[in-house]
């Protein structure tokens, strides 16, 4: 079952004006349910436009967007339902907090969906736990929290709406390595335990390598590739050609191959590289068979 | 000469009814020689940005002494004039490109700071042209500023600081919101300003690869200086960096883990090609 399906989707900003700009050019895409997918591409490649199409903030000029097999624009009046289904956490969401307490802020979304009482309370508490916020923080003003905690409140507010698909735009930008691990680790746990499909937009290739099952690469308003993470990063030259990077460790693997030590090009985490190098060393130490 | 010298600096954010005061800097001493390139690392809340605020004279320390370009900022007889003079020595480029562009045309934005300093128009014209050339944005001089890419906007912001002839520029996570290409553009410009123009540079960053390009790394933790040394010295002790909630470049982590296998590999190589060459030599590549 696919969580997301796009068929021949086109989108143009300022259509019919001299400043018209095609942001999505005949995009077709399938994202399976339950996994974590990364979306990468340089500035202006069409990532943000794609994300806004997925939760119905933008309407495609042509083509179909399906979530869970249902065409989201089949009944335009029901687009509000779609927005509940596809939760979007924008960049720097901590600037969007507004309520007097953390609890009220997290509860805002589910309340607007019509929830109340025990169900609402349960959702808020579960979402706070997934986002790594202690119960003791719920009564505090969100404005007294640190930047990392504020961001987790914003994330919890979307998780509490129990979306089928969670879309995050640069969820770890500006956080230190520990903060990045906390928030991305929480998102991964949430996805695994709830079966929610997650789409992460990021410029951090190292984070993508650590947390994503597969990666979509966008360039010039089209999809350049959509493959398992290891395979995407093994195509370093193609990524470089569209202004993207691969993790430093992947570049080490490529350079090792040029120096005669072949541990493959699909290396994207340090631990995997260490394992591969150990295999290589024990193989080269083994006595030659007669 | 030291462009910045700090002795026993402390700073506390005052609390109010609901919040307790937070001591952000505790007894911090260091100096920054003119023409150097320093990276400041530290997890969120470690005191990095507070330090930057003090160095730009946006805030004054509670105790300790601070000198900017030889002038003391913390003496009893420090005047408003001294502080204004210090602000003319140290400039700052912030994180969000959209928050620091004020004019609708690129060259007007670069001129903004100079205009406020009351510099004669002819001189401003010359400085703006030079500054735009220094960041590789000359051809965009008359372009509208709003539809530049993030990396281009940061370069325009840097040009504005260069045009004001700051001797020292502090970059507070200035690449955090940029894509890989934008990040490289901005880092290359920063490095060139330091190496070729002799501008003293301080970068505050969460990217270990960027910090590895500096001459020196200051690590902040809990409001104190936790480590201070060359990238080789600081990253050469990965356990200590992990203890401070930080990372080391992946090349260092790889070599550190391989040392457990008895491989004698260096921890201070941050370039992928160089790291691979050394590893291949130690392991013995099969061709």
């Amino acid at each position: 079952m696919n969580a997301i399906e796009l068929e021949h989707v086109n989108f143009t900003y300022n259509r019919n004006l001299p400043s018209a700009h095609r942001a999505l050019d005949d995009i077709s895409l399938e994202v399976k349910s339950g996994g974590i997918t990364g979306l990468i591409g340089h500035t202006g490649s069409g990532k943000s436009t794609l994300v806004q199409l997925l939760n119905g903030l933008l309407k495609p000029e042509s083509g179909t967007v399906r979530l869970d097999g249902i065409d989201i624009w089949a009944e335009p009046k029901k687009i509000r339902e779609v927005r509940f289904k596809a939760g979007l956490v924008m960049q720097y969401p901590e600037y969007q907090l507004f309520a007097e307490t953390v609890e009220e802020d997290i509860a805002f979304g589910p309340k607007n969906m019509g929830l109340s009482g025990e169900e609402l309370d349960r959702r808020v508490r579960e979402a706070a736990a997934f986002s790594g916020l202690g119960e003791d923080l719920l009564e505090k003003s969100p404005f007294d929290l640190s930047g990392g905690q504020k961001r987790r409140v914003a994330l919890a507010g979307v998780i509490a709406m129990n979306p089928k698909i969670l879309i995050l735009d640069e969820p770890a930008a500006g956080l230190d390595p520990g903060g990045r691990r906390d928030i991305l680790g929480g998102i991964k746990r949430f996805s695994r335990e709830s079966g929610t499909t997650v789409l992460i937009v990021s410029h951090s290739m190292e984070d993508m390598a650590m947390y994503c099952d597969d990666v979509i690469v966008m360039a010039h308003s089209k999809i350049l590739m959509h493959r398992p993470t290891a395979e995407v990063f093994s195509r370093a030259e193609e990524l470089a050609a569209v202004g993207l990077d691969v993790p430093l460790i992947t570049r080490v693997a490529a350079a090792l191959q040029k120096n005669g030590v072949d541990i493959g090009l699909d290396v994207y985490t340090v631990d995997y590289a260490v394992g591969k190098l150990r295999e290589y060393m024990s193989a080269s130490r083994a006595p030659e068979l007669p | 000469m030291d462009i910045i010298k700090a002795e026993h600096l402390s700073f506390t954010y005052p609390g109010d009814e609901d919040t307790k005061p937070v001591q952000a800097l505790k007894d911090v001493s260091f100096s920054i020689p003119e023409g150097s390139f320093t990276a400041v690392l530290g997890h969120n809340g470690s005191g990095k940005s507070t330090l930057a605020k003090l160095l730009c004279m946006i805030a004054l320390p509670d105790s300790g002494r601070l000198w900017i370009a030889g002038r003391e900022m913390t003496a009893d007889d420090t005047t408003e004039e001294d502080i204004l003079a210090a602000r003319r020595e140290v400039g700052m480029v912030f994180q969000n490109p959209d928050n620091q562009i004020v004019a609708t045309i690129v060259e007007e934005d670069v001129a903004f700071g100079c205009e406020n300093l009351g510099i004669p128009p002819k001189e401003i014209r010359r400085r703006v042209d030079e500054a735009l050339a220094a960041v590789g944005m000359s051809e965009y001089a008359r372009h509208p500023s709003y539809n530049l890419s993030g990396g281009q906007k940061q370069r325009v912001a840097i040009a504005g600081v260069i045009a004001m002839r700051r001797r020292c520029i502090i970059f507070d996570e200035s690449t955090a919101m940029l894509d890989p290409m934008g990040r490289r553009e901005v880092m290359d410009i920063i490095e060139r300003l330091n190496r070729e123009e002799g501008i003293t540079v301080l970068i505050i960053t969460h990217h270990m690869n960027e910090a590895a390009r500096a001459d020196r790394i200051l690590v902040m933790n809990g409001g104190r200086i936790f480590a201070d040394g060359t990238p080789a010295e600081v990253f050469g002790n990965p356990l200590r960096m992990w203890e401070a909630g930080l990372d080391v470049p992946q090349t260092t982590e790889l070599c550190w883990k391989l040392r457990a296998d008895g491989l004698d590999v260096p921890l201070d190589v941050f370039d992928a090609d160089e790291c691979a060459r050394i590893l291949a030599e130690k392991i013995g590549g099969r061709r």
Side-chain angles (χ1 to χ4, degrees):
Chain A
M1 173 79 176
N2 290 324
I4 303 170
E5 282 170 5
L6 266 66
E7 243 172 59
H8 302 295
V9 168
N10 288 292
F11 188 84
T12 306
Y13 287 104
N14 299 346
R15 196 146 42 121
N16 302 328
L17 290 175
S19 56
H21 166 68
R22 170 152 292 194
L24 294 178
D25 187 359
D26 194 26
I27 299 274
S28 293
L29 171 73
E30 289 178 2
V31 175
K32 282 198 202 73
S33 280
I36 301 184
T37 300
L39 177 57
I40 62 178
H42 66 85
T43 313
S45 61
K47 296 181 313 257
S48 304
T49 308
L50 181 67
V51 162
Q52 291 178 66
L53 278 171
L54 291 180
N55 84 340
L57 286 176
L58 294 177
K59 192 175 176 184
E61 184 184 324
S62 61
T64 323
V65 178
R66 277 193 288 267
L67 298 184
D68 274 345
I70 298 164
D71 178 355
I72 66 169
W73 290 100
E75 289 177 84
K77 279 184 183 158
K78 287 195 173 167
I79 198 67
R80 198 170 131 91
E81 307 286 316
V82 171
R83 299 200 177 119
F84 291 143
K85 207 179 207 178
L88 176 60
V89 182
M90 309 238 191
Q91 244 182 65
Y92 291 83
E94 56 272 29
Y95 296 132
Q96 301 169 32
L97 302 178
F98 62 94
E100 282 189 21
T101 68
V102 168
E103 186 168 9
E104 278 174 51
D105 212 297
I106 300 175
F108 181 77
K111 244 186 198 165
N112 273 293
M113 295 169 69
L115 294 179
S116 61
E118 271 179 32
E119 170 70 6
L120 177 65
D121 198 51
R122 191 179 58 79
R123 289 262 191 110
V124 169
R125 269 155 222 284
E126 273 180 15
F130 270 124
S131 313
L133 294 163
E135 293 253 331
D136 56 312
L137 293 180
L138 291 180
E139 294 306 315
K140 284 204 169 182
S141 161
F143 303 103
D144 288 342
L145 305 182
S146 74
Q149 287 171 326
K150 277 186 201 163
R151 186 162 311 172
R152 279 182 254 163
V153 173
L155 173 65
V158 176
I159 286 182
M161 293 165 74
N162 208 4
K164 287 270 176 120
I165 299 161
L166 179 62
I167 305 166
L168 305 121
D169 193 357
E170 291 284 0
L175 298 182
D176 59 51
R180 304 180 86 89
R181 272 192 293 269
D182 286 349
I183 203 152
L184 293 168
I187 290 165
K188 185 158 191 165
R189 217 173 47 246
F190 170 69
S191 168
R192 294 289 181 259
E193 288 177 24
S194 66
T196 306
T197 309
V198 174
L199 186 70
I200 301 180
V201 181
S202 176
H203 289 317
S204 167
M205 302 303 149
E206 277 83 4
D207 286 348
M208 288 302 198
M210 286 287 288
Y211 294 95
C212 295
D213 305 313
D214 55 343
V215 175
I216 300 166
V217 184
M218 290 200 68
H220 313 303
S221 313
K222 287 177 181 292
I223 290 179
L224 182 68
M225 55 179 117
H226 177 198
R227 306 295 307 156
T229 307
E231 194 184 322
V232 167
F233 288 125
S234 70
R235 291 160 71 173
E237 280 171 19
E238 283 170 76
L239 294 179
V242 294
L244 295 172
D245 248 336
V246 295
L248 186 59
I249 195 71
T250 309
R251 274 186 283 154
V252 173
L256 274 170
Q257 196 183 53
K258 287 198 188 102
N259 283 283
V261 178
D262 191 356
I263 59 166
L265 291 175
D266 58 347
V267 173
Y268 56 96
T269 64
V270 173
D271 287 333
Y272 184 81
V274 171
K276 276 288 183 189
L277 279 167
R278 283 187 181 143
E279 272 173 35
Y280 183 91
M281 286 188 285
S282 58
S284 53
R285 272 187 210 125
E288 299 222 352
L289 292 171
Chain B
M1 194 196 119
D2 292 333
I3 187 136
I4 295 169
K5 189 170 152 205
E7 277 179 7
H8 309 294
L9 286 188
S10 292
F11 183 81
T12 301
Y13 288 101
D16 53 30
E17 306 127 46
D18 304 323
T19 52
K20 280 183 231 137
V22 180
Q23 192 177 8
L25 289 180
K26 297 169 190 163
D27 193 23
V28 171
S29 300
F30 65 94
S31 53
I32 302 287
E34 177 130 42
S36 61
F37 182 177
T38 308
V40 182
L41 293 176
H43 61 78
N44 293 102
S46 61
K48 303 181 308 279
S49 293
T50 307
L51 185 66
K53 278 186 201 162
L54 295 191
L55 300 184
C56 297
M57 304 306 296
I58 295 174
L60 279 169
D62 302 333
S63 61
R65 301 177 72 182
L66 176 66
W67 289 263
I68 305 280
R71 267 196 200 84
E72 181 164 7
M73 295 293 112
T74 43
D76 291 336
D77 59 353
T78 300
T79 60
E80 188 85 344
E81 213 27 64
D82 291 329
I83 290 176
L84 287 176
R87 288 202 189 121
R88 276 183 222 123
E89 306 285 0
V90 182
M92 192 145 163
V93 178
F94 296 92
Q95 183 182 99
N96 189 340
D98 291 318
N99 289 355
Q100 40 195 337
I101 300 288
V102 292
T104 50
I105 301 292
V106 167
E107 63 178 13
E108 287 175 11
D109 190 83
V110 176
F112 180 77
C114 290
E115 284 169 348
N116 280 305
L117 292 172
I119 293 163
K122 263 193 182 162
E123 171 69 8
I124 294 182
R125 178 75 261 167
R126 209 169 54 82
R127 287 193 187 188
V128 167
D129 291 342
E130 276 178 21
L132 281 171
V135 298
M137 289 291 289
S138 299
E139 58 182 303
Y140 290 90
R142 286 169 201 274
H143 278 234
S145 50
Y146 64 87
N147 61 6
L148 299 176
S149 74
Q152 290 171 331
K153 282 182 188 165
Q154 286 300 62
R155 282 153 66 187
V156 171
I158 294 171
V161 180
I162 296 173
M164 290 190 288
R165 297 267 195 275
R166 297 295 184 249
R167 283 156 73 189
C168 175
I169 306 179
I170 300 177
F171 296 87
D172 191 359
E173 293 188 42
S174 305
T175 62
M177 298 181 74
L178 307 181
D179 66 15
M181 207 179 352
R183 201 175 287 160
R184 221 171 315 148
E185 283 170 16
V186 170
M187 277 308 293
D188 288 347
I189 298 279
I190 291 175
E191 209 167 68
R192 238 201 35 240
L193 288 178
N194 176 254
R195 309 269 185 252
E196 290 171 21
E197 314 280 329
I199 294 175
T200 310
V201 167
L202 235 85
I203 58 169
I204 296 176
T205 181
H206 286 313
H207 288 273
M208 305 304 146
N209 303 344
E210 291 175 3
R213 291 170 75 161
D215 308 324
R216 173 189 180 191
I217 298 178
L218 277 176
V219 183
M220 301 288 299
N221 192 19
R224 295 178 195 277
I225 291 182
F226 181 78
D228 178 1
T230 61
E233 288 162 357
V234 169
F235 289 135
N237 195 345
L239 284 176
R240 202 163 151 71
M241 292 298 279
W242 288 325
E243 184 195 325
L246 296 171
D247 264 338
V248 295
Q250 289 185 323
T251 47
T252 304
E253 187 183 345
L254 176 70
C255 290
W256 187 79
K257 286 181 171 162
L258 288 172
R259 280 185 170 190
D261 300 71
L263 274 187
D264 177 25
V265 281
L267 299 180
D268 59 350
V269 172
F270 312 121
D271 177 71
D273 292 323
E274 178 69 4
C275 176
R277 198 186 54 72
I278 295 170
L279 276 175
E281 202 181 286
K282 300 281 179 193
I283 296 172
R286 289 172 295 196
R287 284 198 183 262

